[in-house]
């Protein structure tokens, strides 16, 4: 636990929310990218719109946190529109924009369950970034679990499971490359943002607003560069359906909500959440997309789920054990002297 004494019921609530958000977002996004090709929406506009929603939610949370209009005004003037800080937060904004766009590319070419398993490569990527950027260390069990996770992903990707109900053209290799780029972005941006947060006492919501302001500008550039002519011809919201709006909602509010409730959970619970999301995504893929489960996929997914659990186990307090050994050794010496 992160220092919060909450009931088991609330922990289970947090677990349910994180699991449903992760699984539903993946399956819903996959559904919107495979149902039609003629009226397909522009993924770049969806990424940009998600940044706008995140900004609005963060502004609302900062207003609530400030408690008054004057405090909110001071926070905006002193912290948010600080050129140096905005430039600092533009780094994760760019990286997250790439990551979010890569998620659309990946789920246009990979099944939701295959994506969900492969995306767990973010764990070793984040672990390596924490070692190099935050000078943290990993236990032997964590290194072993990272090796196990990578082995599981290799099994899943060796011969990707096919979805019989999906008729659109797909390229599994492009999908895997997109996931690889996404996990690299996720690991770096997450650790970089954590480092920025811990370098000052600035509110989380202020930092979020700074990041989303940059994010909106960056994603708008992405819209112009990739789909500029088509957006001008057909409109920003071309191809939007209730399902697409739901995906945007999950990508924005869902991500923010998950980041808030994570503080009430421990690593073991987060591991269970990721494993359950894989299971739910697999069940949904079988029912909606006709995913054919292979032995390689099942074995790889199982390895990934076990490795996530092992990685989240608390480290053994070796310093305490060594102190106990020293005390025992001292007592033994004293007994020998007494004899």
């Amino acid at each position: 636990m992160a220092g919060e004494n909450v009931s088991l019921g609330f922990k289970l609530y947090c677990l349910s929310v994180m699991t449903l958000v992760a699984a539903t977002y993946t399956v819903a996004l996959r559904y919107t990218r495979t149902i039609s090709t003629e009226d397909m929406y522009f993924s770049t506009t969806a990424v940009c719109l998600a940044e706008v929603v995140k900004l609005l939610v963060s502004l609302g949370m900062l207003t609530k946190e400030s408690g008054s209009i004057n405090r909110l005004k001071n926070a905006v003037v002193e912290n948010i529109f600080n050129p140096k800080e905005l430039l600092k937060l533009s780094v994760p904004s760019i990286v997250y924009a790439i990551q979010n766009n890569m998620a659309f590319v990946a789920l246009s070419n990979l099944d939701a369950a295959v994506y969900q398993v492969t995306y767990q490569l973010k764990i070793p990527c984040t672990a390596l970034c924490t070692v190099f950027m935050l000078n943290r260390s990993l236990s032997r069990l964590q290194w072993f679990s990272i090796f196990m996770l990578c082995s599981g992903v290799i099994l899943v990707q060796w011969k990707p499971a096919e979805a019989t109900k999906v008729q659109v053209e797909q390229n599994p290799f492009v999908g895997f490359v997109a996931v690889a780029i996404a996990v690299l972005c996720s690991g770096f941006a997450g650790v970089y943002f954590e480092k920025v947060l811990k370098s000052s006492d600035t509110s989380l919501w202020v930092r979020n607003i700074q990041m989303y302001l940059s994010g909106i500008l960056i994603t708008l550039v992405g819209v112009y560069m990739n789909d500029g002519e088509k957006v001008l011809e057909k409109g920003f919201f071309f191809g939007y359906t209730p399902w697409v709006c739901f995906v945007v909602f999950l990508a924005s509010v869902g991500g923010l909500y998950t980041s808030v409730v994570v503080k009430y959970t421990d690593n073991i619970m987060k591991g269970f959440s990721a494993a359950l999301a894989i299971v739910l995504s697999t069940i949904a893929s079988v029912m909606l997309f006709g995913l054919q489960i292979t032995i390689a996929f099942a074995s790889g997914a199982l390895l990934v789920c076990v490795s996530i659990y092992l990685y989240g186990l608390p480290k053994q307090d070796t310093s305490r054990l060594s102190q106990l050994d020293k005390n025992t050794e001292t007592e033994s010496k004293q007994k020998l002297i007494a004899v």
Side-chain angles (χ1 to χ4, degrees), residues 91-92 94-100 102 119 122 125-126 129 178-192:
V91 175
I94 295 171
V95 179
Y96 276 132
I98 296 171
Q99 176 196 335
N100 294 332
M102 286 301 104
Y119 189 65
K122 66 182 180 179
C125 184
T126 303
C129 286
V179 176
I181 295 171
V183 298
L184 288 172
C185 292
S186 175
F188 173 78
V191 175
Y192 181 95

Side-chain angles (χ1 to χ4, degrees), residues 11-242:
K11 290 182 188 178
L12 293 174
Y13 165 75
C14 292
L15 174 65
S16 302
V17 169
M18 288 191 294
T19 304
L20 288 174
V21 166
T24 307
Y25 171 70
T26 304
V27 174
L29 200 162
R30 171 67 173 172
Y31 177 74
T32 62
R33 302 304 290 178
T34 55
I35 53 173
S36 174
T37 55
E38 295 180 358
D39 299 325
M40 181 65 67
Y41 65 99
F42 306 118
S43 60
T44 52
T45 63
V47 173
C48 181
L49 194 58
E51 293 297 304
V52 174
V53 176
K54 289 176 186 177
L55 176 64
L56 294 175
V57 173
S58 296
L59 279 170
M61 294 304 297
L62 181 61
T63 304
K64 182 180 179 181
E65 185 180 80
S66 300
S68 68
I69 299 298
N70 288 332
R71 289 181 181 176
L72 175 64
K73 184 179 178 181
N74 291 334
V76 171
V77 173
E78 294 176 9
N79 297 312
I80 293 177
F81 293 108
N82 184 322
K84 183 180 177 181
E85 296 301 317
L86 281 173
L87 185 62
K88 186 190 296 183
L89 269 298
S90 66
V91 175
S93 295
I94 295 171
V95 179
Y96 276 132
I98 296 171
Q99 176 196 335
N100 294 332
N101 278 286
M102 286 301 104
F104 281 86
V105 175
L107 283 164
S108 298
N109 292 280
L110 292 175
D111 184 80
V114 176
Y115 170 85
Q116 192 74 261
V117 173
T118 310
Y119 189 65
Q120 299 311 313
L121 284 173
K122 66 182 180 179
I123 294 176
C125 184
T126 303
L128 291 174
C129 286
T130 57
V131 169
F132 292 113
M133 295 172 63
L134 299 179
N135 295 320
R136 292 179 185 169
S137 60
L138 300 178
S139 66
R140 290 181 180 178
L141 181 61
Q142 286 178 316
W143 283 115
F144 173 74
S145 65
I146 286 173
F147 174 77
M148 183 187 292
L149 188 148
C150 293
S151 301
V153 171
I154 289 172
L155 274 176
V156 169
Q157 287 293 335
W158 191 260
K159 189 179 180 182
E162 296 181 357
T164 57
K165 295 181 182 179
V166 176
Q167 303 301 322
V168 296
E169 185 178 349
Q170 300 174 103
N171 189 328
F173 178 75
V174 171
F176 176 73
V177 172
V179 176
I181 295 171
V183 298
L184 288 172
C185 292
S186 175
F188 173 78
V191 175
Y192 181 95
F193 189 56
E194 180 183 347
K195 191 172 184 178
V196 170
L197 283 177
K198 292 183 176 180
S199 64
S200 68
D201 295 327
T202 307
S203 166
L204 168 66
W205 300 111
V206 169
R207 292 301 192 190
N208 278 341
I209 291 169
Q210 290 172 331
M211 186 164 64
Y212 299 143
L213 282 171
S214 302
I216 291 171
L217 293 175
I218 292 162
T219 52
L220 280 173
V221 172
V223 172
Y224 174 77
M225 292 178 64
N226 290 287
D227 303 305
E229 293 182 2
K230 294 179 182 178
V231 169
L232 287 174
E233 178 188 348
K234 299 181 178 180
F236 191 89
F237 296 101
F238 173 78
Y240 273 63
T241 64

